[in-house]
Amino acid sequence: MSNNLTLTGFFWVIFSVLSALAASTGFFLPYWIQGQIYNTTVYLGVFRRCNFLEKQANGLSVLVRACGRYASFQDIPSEAWKASTVMIGIGCGFLLVVAFTAIFSCCCKDILTRTSARVGGALQVVAGFLLAIGFGIYPSGWGSVEFKQACGKEANFYRLGHCKLSWAFFLFVVGTGSAFICAVLSTRAGKQKKPIYSRTSIERSDSFIM
């Protein structure tokens, strides 16, 4: 184990990994919004969905019982969701980079110092803000046609209609909040290096005193 980590540093490593996993898993899974179409439970995420209507060549819409991402970035039904996808994706990327670095710092010497830990904490703050902004923008897309199909005509910007928030949404929120906690812990994660004095320099210092 690395001797460059303080006790707080070990907690920082653990929380960094958990934060990255929670935010990334919540982002990837489609279980953000739970609604219903034709008595079938449907789920909508930022860029993925489960059980959705697909328009056929004859103009009729058929319910597809499957989970997956949208066919392309342009197929995401809302500009707000597109912006959320980009921001949250970048934020999760930052958290994962810091988490992997933190893990390696437990096994390899000199990867983590007080300065590098604070740099990691700064990245976690940036990631946290990106995730929070993406989270704040996401409800702006609740007025899209696809969302109203699942949540009713009364659904609109920041109005869920008859839908409800599902567990992946809350997992993502926990990961986002944890990123800021990690940033605070990072300020005390690394030990301050003690200055190294060579024997020659000590002898020279003694002769100067004499």
Side-chain angles (χ1 to χ4, degrees), residues 94-108:
F94 284 161
L95 290 183
L96 288 170
V97 168
V98 176
F100 281 122
T101 304
I103 291 173
F104 286 128
S105 71
C106 293
C107 307
C108 303

Side-chain angles (χ1 to χ4, degrees), residues 2-110:
S2 172
N3 59 357
N4 290 336
L5 285 170
T6 62
L7 180 60
T8 304
F10 285 110
F11 282 108
W12 174 68
V13 172
I14 294 170
F15 276 106
S16 293
V17 173
L18 293 178
S19 175
L21 288 177
S24 299
T25 302
F27 170 54
F28 181 75
L29 294 177
Y31 308 112
W32 280 44
I33 306 294
Q34 180 181 332
Q36 200 169 56
I37 298 177
Y38 301 154
N39 295 321
T40 300
T41 300
V42 300
Y43 293 96
L44 297 170
V46 183
F47 70 101
R48 301 182 81 236
R49 55 188 175 168
C50 284
N51 304 333
F52 51 90
L53 290 176
E54 187 175 76
K55 201 168 186 178
Q56 303 296 306
N58 57 10
L60 297 176
S61 295
V62 176
L63 181 64
V64 178
R65 290 179 171 83
C67 292
R69 64 179 180 81
Y70 292 95
S72 69
F73 184 77
Q74 295 303 320
D75 288 329
I76 296 175
S78 165
E79 295 299 322
W81 288 9
K82 291 176 184 177
S84 292
T85 299
V86 174
M87 288 185 177
I88 295 174
I90 295 172
C92 287
F94 284 161
L95 290 183
L96 288 170
V97 168
V98 176
F100 281 122
T101 304
I103 291 173
F104 286 128
S105 71
C106 293
C107 307
C108 303
K109 194 176 180 180
D110 296 331

Side-chain angles (χ1 to χ4, degrees), residues 147-178:
F147 194 88
K148 289 188 175 185
Q149 288 173 343
C151 302
K153 293 181 180 179
E154 65 272 21
N156 211 326
F157 304 138
Y158 296 90
R159 293 176 60 186
L160 277 170
H162 61 67
C163 285
K164 63 180 181 179
L165 299 174
S166 192
W167 62 271
F169 175 86
F170 296 108
L171 181 64
F172 172 79
V173 172
V174 169
T176 301
S178 299

